[in-house]
Coordinates of all heavy atoms in Angstrom, one line a residue:
M1 N 69.0 94.6 114.4 CA 68.8 95.8 115.2 C 69.7 95.9 116.4 O 70.0 94.9 117.0 CB 67.3 95.9 115.6 CG 66.4 95.9 114.4 SD 64.7 95.8 114.8 CE 64.5 97.4 115.7
T2 N 70.0 97.1 116.8 CA 70.8 97.2 118.0 C 70.1 98.0 119.1 O 70.5 99.0 119.5 CB 72.1 98.0 117.6 OG1 71.7 99.2 117.0 CG2 72.9 97.2 116.6
T3 N 68.9 97.5 119.4 CA 68.1 98.2 120.4 C 68.4 97.6 121.8 O 69.3 96.7 121.9 CB 66.6 98.0 120.2 OG1 66.3 96.6 120.1 CG2 66.3 98.7 118.9
G4 N 67.8 98.1 122.8 CA 68.0 97.5 124.1 C 68.2 98.6 125.2 O 68.4 98.3 126.3
S5 N 68.2 99.8 124.8 CA 68.5 100.9 125.7 C 67.3 101.7 126.1 O 67.3 102.7 126.7 CB 69.5 101.9 125.1 OG 69.0 102.4 123.9
G6 N 66.1 101.1 125.8 CA 64.9 101.7 126.3 C 64.3 102.7 125.3 O 64.9 103.0 124.3
P7 N 63.1 103.2 125.6 CA 62.4 104.1 124.7 C 62.9 105.5 124.7 O 62.3 106.4 125.1 CB 61.0 104.0 125.3 CG 61.1 103.8 126.7 CD 62.4 103.0 126.9
A8 N 64.1 105.7 124.2 CA 64.7 107.0 124.2 C 64.4 107.8 122.9 O 64.4 109.0 122.9 CB 66.2 106.9 124.4
A9 N 64.2 107.1 121.9 CA 63.9 107.7 120.6 C 62.6 108.3 120.5 O 61.6 107.9 121.2 CB 64.1 106.7 119.5
G10 N 62.4 109.4 119.8 CA 61.1 110.0 119.6 C 60.4 109.4 118.5 O 60.8 108.5 117.8
E11 N 59.1 109.8 118.4 CA 58.2 109.4 117.3 C 58.0 107.9 117.3 O 57.9 107.3 116.3 CB 58.8 109.9 116.0 CG 58.8 111.4 115.9 CD 59.0 111.9 114.5 OE1 60.0 111.4 113.9 OE2 58.3 112.7 114.1
V12 N 58.0 107.3 118.4 CA 57.6 105.9 118.5 C 56.2 105.7 118.9 O 55.7 104.6 118.9 CB 58.6 105.1 119.4 CG1 60.0 105.1 118.8 CG2 58.6 105.7 120.8
Y13 N 55.6 106.8 119.4 CA 54.2 106.8 119.8 C 53.4 107.6 118.8 O 53.8 108.7 118.4 CB 54.0 107.3 121.2 CG 54.9 106.7 122.2 CD1 55.9 107.4 122.9 CD2 54.7 105.4 122.6 CE1 56.6 106.8 123.9 CE2 55.4 104.7 123.5 CZ 56.4 105.5 124.2 OH 57.2 104.9 125.1
R14 N 52.2 107.2 118.6 CA 51.2 108.0 117.8 C 49.9 108.1 118.6 O 49.5 107.1 119.1 CB 51.0 107.3 116.5 CG 52.2 107.2 115.6 CD 51.9 106.3 114.4 NE 53.1 106.3 113.5 CZ 53.3 107.1 112.5 NH1 52.4 108.0 112.2 NH2 54.4 107.0 111.8
V15 N 49.4 109.3 118.6 CA 48.2 109.6 119.2 C 47.3 110.4 118.3 O 47.7 111.3 117.7 CB 48.4 110.4 120.5 CG1 47.1 110.7 121.2 CG2 49.3 109.6 121.5
H16 N 46.0 110.0 118.2 CA 45.0 110.8 117.5 C 43.7 110.8 118.3 O 43.4 109.9 119.1 CB 44.7 110.3 116.1 CG 45.5 109.2 115.7 ND1 46.3 109.2 114.5 CD2 45.6 107.9 116.1 CE1 46.8 108.0 114.3 NE2 46.4 107.2 115.3
W17 N 43.0 111.9 118.1 CA 41.6 111.9 118.6 C 40.8 111.0 117.8 O 40.9 111.0 116.5 CB 41.1 113.3 118.5 CG 41.8 114.3 119.4 CD1 42.7 115.2 119.0 CD2 41.6 114.5 120.8 NE1 43.1 116.0 120.1 CE2 42.4 115.5 121.2 CE3 40.7 113.9 121.7 CZ2 42.5 116.0 122.5 CZ3 40.8 114.3 123.1 CH2 41.7 115.4 123.4
L18 N 39.9 110.3 118.4 CA 38.9 109.5 117.7 C 37.8 110.4 117.2 O 37.2 111.1 118.0 CB 38.4 108.4 118.5 CG 39.4 107.3 118.9 CD1 38.7 106.3 119.9 CD2 40.0 106.6 117.7
P19 N 37.5 110.5 115.9 CA 36.5 111.4 115.4 C 35.2 111.2 116.1 O 34.7 110.1 116.3 CB 36.5 111.0 113.9 CG 37.8 110.4 113.6 CD 38.2 109.7 114.9
G20 N 34.6 112.3 116.5 CA 33.3 112.3 117.1 C 33.2 111.9 118.5 O 32.2 111.7 119.1
T21 N 34.4 111.8 119.1 CA 34.5 111.4 120.5 C 35.4 112.3 121.3 O 36.1 113.1 120.6 CB 34.9 110.0 120.7 OG1 36.4 109.9 120.5 CG2 34.3 109.0 119.8
D22 N 35.5 112.2 122.5 CA 36.5 112.9 123.3 C 37.7 112.0 123.7 O 38.5 112.2 124.5 CB 35.9 113.4 124.6 CG 34.9 114.5 124.4 OD1 35.1 115.3 123.4 OD2 34.0 114.6 125.2
L23 N 37.8 110.9 122.9 CA 38.8 109.9 123.3 C 40.0 110.0 122.4 O 40.0 110.4 121.3 CB 38.2 108.5 123.0 CG 37.0 108.1 123.9 CD1 36.5 106.8 123.4 CD2 37.5 108.0 125.4
L24 N 41.1 109.8 123.1 CA 42.4 109.7 122.4 C 42.7 108.2 122.2 O 42.5 107.4 123.0 CB 43.5 110.3 123.3 CG 43.5 111.8 123.5 CD1 44.4 112.1 124.7 CD2 44.1 112.4 122.3
H25 N 43.2 108.0 121.0 CA 43.7 106.6 120.7 C 45.2 106.7 120.5 O 45.7 107.4 119.6 CB 43.0 106.1 119.5 CG 43.4 104.7 119.2 ND1 44.4 104.4 118.2 CD2 43.1 103.5 119.7 CE1 44.6 103.1 118.2 NE2 43.8 102.5 119.0
G26 N 45.9 105.9 121.2 CA 47.4 105.9 121.1 C 47.9 104.6 120.7 O 47.3 103.5 121.1
S27 N 48.9 104.5 119.9 CA 49.6 103.3 119.6 C 51.1 103.4 119.7 O 51.6 104.5 119.5 CB 49.2 102.8 118.2 OG 49.6 103.8 117.3
C28 N 51.7 102.4 120.2 CA 53.1 102.4 120.4 C 53.8 101.6 119.3 O 53.2 100.8 118.7 CB 53.4 101.7 121.8 SG 55.1 101.6 122.2
H29 N 55.1 101.9 119.2 CA 55.8 101.2 118.2 C 55.8 99.7 118.4 O 56.1 98.9 117.5 CB 57.3 101.7 118.1 CG 58.0 101.4 119.4 ND1 58.8 100.3 119.5 CD2 58.0 102.1 120.6 CE1 59.3 100.3 120.8 NE2 58.9 101.4 121.4
C30 N 55.6 99.3 119.6 CA 55.6 97.8 120.0 C 54.3 97.1 119.6 O 54.3 95.9 119.7 CB 55.9 97.6 121.4 SG 54.6 98.1 122.5
G31 N 53.3 97.9 119.2 CA 52.1 97.3 118.8 C 51.0 97.4 119.8 O 49.8 97.2 119.5
A32 N 51.3 97.9 121.0 CA 50.3 98.1 122.0 C 49.5 99.3 121.7 O 49.9 100.3 121.1 CB 51.0 98.3 123.4
E33 N 48.2 99.2 122.0 CA 47.3 100.3 121.8 C 46.5 100.6 123.0 O 46.3 99.8 123.9 CB 46.3 99.9 120.7 CG 47.0 99.7 119.4 CD 46.0 99.4 118.3 OE1 45.4 100.4 117.7 OE2 45.8 98.2 118.0
H34 N 46.0 101.9 123.1 CA 45.4 102.3 124.3 C 44.4 103.4 124.0 O 44.7 104.3 123.1 CB 46.4 102.8 125.4 CG 45.8 103.2 126.7 ND1 45.2 102.3 127.5 CD2 45.7 104.4 127.3 CE1 44.8 102.9 128.6 NE2 45.0 104.2 128.5
T35 N 43.3 103.4 124.6 CA 42.3 104.5 124.4 C 42.0 105.2 125.7 O 41.8 104.5 126.7 CB 41.0 104.0 123.8 OG1 41.3 103.3 122.5 CG2 40.1 105.1 123.5
D36 N 42.0 106.5 125.8 CA 41.8 107.2 127.0 C 41.2 108.6 126.7 O 41.6 109.1 125.7 CB 43.1 107.3 127.8 CG 42.8 107.4 129.3 OD1 42.1 108.3 129.8 OD2 43.3 106.5 130.0
D37 N 40.5 109.1 127.6 CA 40.0 110.5 127.4 C 40.8 111.5 128.1 O 40.5 112.7 128.0 CB 38.5 110.6 127.8 CG 38.3 110.4 129.3 OD1 39.3 110.1 130.0 OD2 37.1 110.5 129.8
D38 N 41.9 111.1 128.7 CA 42.7 112.0 129.5 C 44.1 111.9 128.9 O 44.8 110.9 129.0 CB 42.7 111.6 131.0 CG 43.5 112.6 131.8 OD1 44.3 113.3 131.3 OD2 43.2 112.6 133.0
P39 N 44.6 113.1 128.3 CA 45.9 113.1 127.8 C 47.0 112.7 128.8 O 48.0 112.1 128.4 CB 46.1 114.5 127.3 CG 44.7 115.0 127.1 CD 43.9 114.3 128.1
V40 N 46.8 113.1 130.0 CA 47.8 112.8 131.0 C 47.9 111.3 131.2 O 48.9 110.7 131.3 CB 47.5 113.5 132.3 CG1 48.5 113.1 133.4 CG2 47.6 115.0 132.1
E41 N 46.7 110.7 131.3 CA 46.6 109.2 131.5 C 47.2 108.5 130.3 O 47.9 107.5 130.4 CB 45.2 108.8 131.7 CG 44.6 109.2 133.0 CD 45.2 108.5 134.2 OE1 45.6 107.3 134.0 OE2 45.4 109.2 135.2
M42 N 47.0 109.1 129.1 CA 47.5 108.5 127.9 C 49.0 108.5 127.9 O 49.7 107.5 127.6 CB 47.0 109.3 126.7 CG 47.6 108.8 125.4 SD 47.3 107.1 125.0 CE 45.5 107.3 124.4
W43 N 49.6 109.6 128.3 CA 51.1 109.7 128.4 C 51.6 108.7 129.4 O 52.6 108.1 129.3 CB 51.5 111.1 128.6 CG 51.6 111.9 127.3 CD1 50.7 112.9 127.0 CD2 52.4 111.7 126.2 NE1 51.0 113.3 125.7 CE2 52.1 112.6 125.2 CE3 53.5 110.8 126.0 CZ2 52.7 112.7 124.0 CZ3 54.1 110.9 124.7 CH2 53.8 111.8 123.8
G44 N 50.9 108.7 130.5 CA 51.3 107.8 131.6 C 51.3 106.3 131.1 O 52.2 105.6 131.4
W45 N 50.3 106.0 130.3 CA 50.3 104.6 129.8 C 51.5 104.4 128.9 O 52.1 103.4 128.9 CB 48.9 104.4 129.0 CG 49.0 103.1 128.2 CD1 48.8 101.9 128.7 CD2 49.3 103.0 126.8 NE1 48.9 101.0 127.7 CE2 49.3 101.6 126.5 CE3 49.6 103.9 125.8 CZ2 49.5 101.1 125.2 CZ3 49.9 103.4 124.6 CH2 49.8 102.1 124.3
M46 N 51.7 105.4 128.0 CA 52.8 105.2 127.1 C 54.1 105.0 127.8 O 55.0 104.2 127.3 CB 52.9 106.5 126.2 CG 51.8 106.6 125.2 SD 52.0 108.1 124.2 CE 50.8 107.8 123.0
L47 N 54.3 105.7 128.9 CA 55.6 105.6 129.6 C 55.7 104.4 130.5 O 56.8 104.0 130.9 CB 55.8 106.9 130.4 CG 55.9 108.1 129.5 CD1 55.9 109.3 130.5 CD2 57.1 108.1 128.6
T48 N 54.6 103.7 130.8 CA 54.6 102.7 131.8 C 54.2 101.3 131.3 O 54.5 100.3 131.9 CB 53.7 103.0 133.0 OG1 52.4 103.2 132.5 CG2 54.2 104.3 133.6
H49 N 53.6 101.2 130.1 CA 53.1 99.9 129.7 C 54.3 99.1 129.3 O 55.4 99.6 129.0 CB 52.1 100.0 128.5 CG 52.8 100.3 127.2 ND1 53.1 101.6 126.8 CD2 53.3 99.5 126.2 CE1 53.7 101.5 125.6 NE2 53.8 100.3 125.2
E50 N 54.1 97.8 129.4 CA 55.2 96.9 129.0 C 55.2 96.7 127.5 O 54.2 96.3 126.9 CB 55.0 95.5 129.7 CG 55.2 95.6 131.2 CD 55.2 94.2 131.8 OE1 55.5 93.3 131.0 OE2 54.9 94.1 132.9
H51 N 56.3 97.1 126.9 CA 56.4 96.9 125.5 C 56.4 95.5 125.1 O 57.0 94.6 125.7 CB 57.7 97.6 125.0 CG 57.7 99.0 125.2 ND1 57.0 99.9 124.4 CD2 58.4 99.8 126.0 CE1 57.2 101.1 124.8 NE2 58.0 101.1 125.8
R52 N 55.6 95.2 124.1 CA 55.6 93.9 123.5 C 56.6 93.7 122.5 O 56.6 94.5 121.5 CB 54.2 93.6 123.0 CG 53.1 93.8 124.0 CD 51.8 93.4 123.5 NE 51.5 94.0 122.2 CZ 50.3 93.9 121.5 NH1 49.3 93.2 122.1 NH2 50.1 94.5 120.4
H53 N 57.5 92.8 122.6 CA 58.5 92.6 121.7 C 58.1 91.5 120.7 O 57.6 90.5 121.2 CB 59.8 92.3 122.3 CG 60.3 93.5 123.2 ND1 60.8 94.7 122.6 CD2 60.2 93.7 124.5 CE1 61.1 95.5 123.6 NE2 60.7 95.0 124.8
E54 N 58.5 91.6 119.5 CA 58.2 90.6 118.6 C 58.9 89.3 119.0 O 60.1 89.2 119.1 CB 58.6 91.0 117.2 CG 57.8 92.2 116.7 CD 58.2 92.5 115.3 OE1 58.5 91.6 114.5 OE2 58.2 93.7 114.9
E55 N 58.1 88.2 119.1 CA 58.6 87.0 119.5 C 59.0 86.1 118.4 O 59.4 85.0 118.6 CB 57.6 86.3 120.5 CG 57.2 87.3 121.6 CD 56.8 86.5 122.8 OE1 56.7 85.3 122.8 OE2 56.6 87.2 123.9
S56 N 58.7 86.5 117.2 CA 59.1 85.7 116.0 C 60.5 85.8 115.7 O 61.0 85.2 114.8 CB 58.3 86.2 114.8 OG 58.6 87.5 114.5
H57 N 61.3 86.5 116.5 CA 62.7 86.7 116.2 C 63.6 86.0 117.2 O 64.8 86.2 117.2 CB 63.0 88.2 116.2 CG 64.4 88.6 115.8 ND1 64.8 88.3 114.5 CD2 65.4 89.1 116.4 CE1 66.0 88.8 114.4 NE2 66.4 89.2 115.5
R58 N 63.0 85.1 117.9 CA 63.9 84.4 118.9 C 65.0 83.6 118.3 O 64.7 82.6 117.7 CB 63.0 83.5 119.8 CG 62.2 84.2 120.7 CD 61.5 83.2 121.7 NE 60.6 83.9 122.6 CZ 59.9 83.3 123.5 NH1 59.9 82.0 123.6 NH2 59.1 83.9 124.3
Ligands
ZN101 ZN1 55.2 99.9 123.7

């Protein structure tokens, strides 16, 4: 892979409403997951969390 330039590509995040709740569940391409009831907070998390990189590739 030739990555390393940051999260510039689209469609690396997925968000859905959790059925029966007011909660959003988001997951990042890096494997991180987050649940929040505020879409703004959710996007904030997406943009600021530390991406976990696969360490099996060292
Ligand atoms: Zn991530």
Side-chain angles (χ1 to χ4, degrees):
M1 296 175 67
T2 57
T3 58
S5 59
E11 297 193 310
V12 294
Y13 305 115
R14 292 169 181 271
V15 179
H16 356 241
W17 294 101
L18 294 177
T21 75
D22 290 331
L23 296 173
L24 287 162
H25 180 264
S27 59
C28 179
H29 65 94
C30 73
E33 295 182 81
H34 184 69
T35 302
D36 208 300
D37 64 357
D38 185 340
V40 176
E41 292 293 323
M42 175 61 76
W43 279 109
W45 169 81
M46 286 180 171
L47 297 175
T48 59
H49 77 274
E50 291 189 24
H51 294 287
R52 303 188 306 189
H53 297 284
E54 295 185 32
E55 304 208 354
S56 60
H57 189 62
R58 286 189 182 177

